[in-house]
Amino acid sequence: MQQYGYLTDMPAPVYLSVARSLHLFDEHEKPGEIRAELPQMVAPPSGRWQVGDAIVDPNLPSWRFMGGVRSKKYWHIWLQTGGIGKAEHVLIVQPDDVADKVHVKAHFMGLYEDLCPLVQVLEQVSFWGVTMKSGELW
């Protein structure tokens, strides 16, 4: 199992597919532009981001990347959004080696409690030396 600390640490087809499926960018934006702008849209796990609906800083991203794991067949990507209700997002991405593309196979979204079984599995995986459950990244 391979772990990733940020979206752009993953292969370009993966983070491009995720960014577009989350409607952060449209199909017309070039991959280089997306790579450059993604940190302004999605904070790293320990980065500052817009957690609630009270705008503290309009320049803060409203998304936060929590972790990514590559298993044999899939990438599992965990993100959060801020706002009136902080939401968890788990995306399952499958590569298509023949077409040299990836496909978002599933996008689960909900409150932490709603995604509890999925998030609990991800919490057990150690990302960059700490587990999500330890609370060191919250």
Side-chain angles (χ1 to χ4, degrees):
M1 187 178 313
Q2 188 170 359
Q3 300 173 12
Y4 297 89
Y6 190 66
L7 276 172
T8 54
D9 295 340
M10 299 178 179
V14 175
Y15 72 77
L16 292 171
S17 180
V18 169
R20 288 181 175 137
S21 75
L22 296 175
H23 305 288
L24 298 175
F25 301 94
D26 63 32
E27 294 294 324
H28 304 300
E29 293 201 56
K30 296 181 174 133
E33 293 170 350
I34 293 174
R35 183 176 176 80
E37 293 176 24
L38 203 52
Q40 298 165 17
M41 308 290 285
V42 181
S46 59
R48 292 186 63 218
W49 67 299
Q50 190 64 46
V51 180
D53 60 335
I55 305 296
V56 176
D57 180 346
N59 297 317
L60 290 177
S62 60
W63 288 84
R64 179 167 71 162
F65 179 82
M66 292 302 292
V69 178
R70 166 95 196 255
S71 63
K72 286 184 179 181
K73 286 182 77 171
Y74 302 101
W75 278 275
H76 306 269
I77 300 159
W78 179 12
L79 299 116
Q80 295 176 326
T81 52
I84 292 175
K86 188 175 109 182
E88 309 289 329
H89 297 259
V90 176
L91 287 88
I92 299 173
V93 180
Q94 181 179 28
D96 181 347
D97 296 328
V98 176
D100 196 30
K101 292 183 178 182
V102 298
H103 306 283
V104 174
K105 300 302 274 183
H107 178 178
F108 302 97
M109 181 188 118
L111 299 175
Y112 180 84
E113 297 79 24
D114 297 335
L115 294 179
C116 209
L118 261 175
V119 172
Q120 283 176 348
V121 170
L122 288 172
E123 284 180 334
Q124 302 308 313
V125 177
S126 175
F127 293 99
W128 51 92
V130 295
T131 61
M132 297 298 167
K133 193 168 190 170
S134 71
E136 294 178 45
L137 299 174
W138 293 103

